């Protein structure tokens, strides 16, 4: 992928430097913190499992100050079919022992197998679509991130949805959320986002008679 075309912005993917890269191995706990749920290594992947009606959360140990995008390969582990979720710009609340803030994106979530992005504890700020259809058990390549609150999610090189947060958050951990599901995750990387303004205008497609 060379670029991701957003509304008024163009992410220069191939020019965005990789600042974290990890292929899961037995040493995965050196790079990730288990915040909740059940996480373990198996056959070249990190497995996340949370049977309860809540999110099992895994954070990178590294805290990213700048806007980043998280890239990874993921599948639901059958019979699980839903909530292939990732988080970024995320912080943990030690008092409530759950996410304090962050952006969450996912496939086959929001109760009706929708794809979308939401701001955690963001007063109901979210964007979803029922048009993207994930086939449970198959692997997909997901990219998610934000530029000053302009959030995006790409699946297998196709932009699925965008969300613009008028009160953006930035700086935090990246990671994953297995919400009442079981996930298999590999080929993980975090990139610092390089982008440019993207002028978009409509060119008339027909003549208008006076």
């Amino acid at each position: 992928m060379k670029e991701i075309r957003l509304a008024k912005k163009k992410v220069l993917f191939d020019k965005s430097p990789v600042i974290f890269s990890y292929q899961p191995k037995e040493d995965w706990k050196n790079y990730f913190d288990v915040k909740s749920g059940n996480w373990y290594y198996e056959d070249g992947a990190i497995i996340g499992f949370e049977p309860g009606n809540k999110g099992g959360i895994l954070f990178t140990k590294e805290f990213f100050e700048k806007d980043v995008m998280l890239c990874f390969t993921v599948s639901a582990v059958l019979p699980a079919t839903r909530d292939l979720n990732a988080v970024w710009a995320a912080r943990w609340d030690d008092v409530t022992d759950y996410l304090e803030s962050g952006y969450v994106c996912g496939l086959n979530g929001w109760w009706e197998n929708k794809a979308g992005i939401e701001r955690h504890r963001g007063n109901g700020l979210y964007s979803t679509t029922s048009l993207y259809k994930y086939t449970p058990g198959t692997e997909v390549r997901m990219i998610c991130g934000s530029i000053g609150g302009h959030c995006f999610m790409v699946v297998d090189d196709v932009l699925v949805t965008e969300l613009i947060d008028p009160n953006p958050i930035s700086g935090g951990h990246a990671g994953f959320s297995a919400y009442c599901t079981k996930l298999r995750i590999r080929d993980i990387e975090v990139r610092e986002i390089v982008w440019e303004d993207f002028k978009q205008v409509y060119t008339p497609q027909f003549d208008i008679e006076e």
Side-chain angles (χ1 to χ4, degrees), residues 12-147:
L12 306 178
F13 185 84
D14 60 348
K15 295 182 179 179
S16 297
V18 176
I19 55 177
F20 175 82
S21 180
Y22 185 69
Q23 297 289 344
K25 296 183 292 187
E26 296 283 358
D27 67 350
W28 67 277
K29 286 188 177 180
N30 292 337
Y31 303 93
F32 293 91
D33 278 329
V34 175
K35 310 305 289 187
S36 61
N38 306 284
W39 296 87
Y40 57 93
Y41 169 81
E42 183 179 86
D43 296 331
I46 294 175
I47 306 298
F49 176 52
E50 174 51 67
N53 191 22
K54 57 184 178 179
I57 308 293
L58 185 72
F59 272 5
T60 56
K61 286 184 178 289
E62 188 169 349
F63 185 99
F64 303 101
E65 295 285 355
K66 297 181 179 180
D67 288 335
V68 297
M69 53 184 161
L70 173 63
C71 316
F72 57 100
T73 300
V74 62
S75 65
V77 180
L78 298 174
T81 62
R82 59 178 178 249
D83 283 85
L84 289 76
N85 298 339
V87 298
W88 71 96
R91 299 170 187 248
W92 194 257
D93 188 332
D94 290 326
V95 175
T96 63
D97 198 29
Y98 204 63
L99 276 177
E100 175 185 335
S101 60
Y103 295 114
V104 182
C105 76
L107 304 179
N108 273 27
W110 288 272
W111 305 283
E112 296 293 336
N113 295 331
K114 296 177 182 178
I117 302 171
E118 70 176 27
R119 174 174 171 163
H120 183 70
R121 296 189 180 177
N123 298 320
L125 181 66
Y126 69 96
S127 171
T128 62
T129 176
S130 60
L131 296 179
Y132 180 87
K133 304 297 184 183
Y134 170 71
T135 302
T138 61
E139 279 194 331
V140 293
R141 185 70 177 169
M142 291 179 63
I143 303 169
C144 56
S146 56
I147 304 166

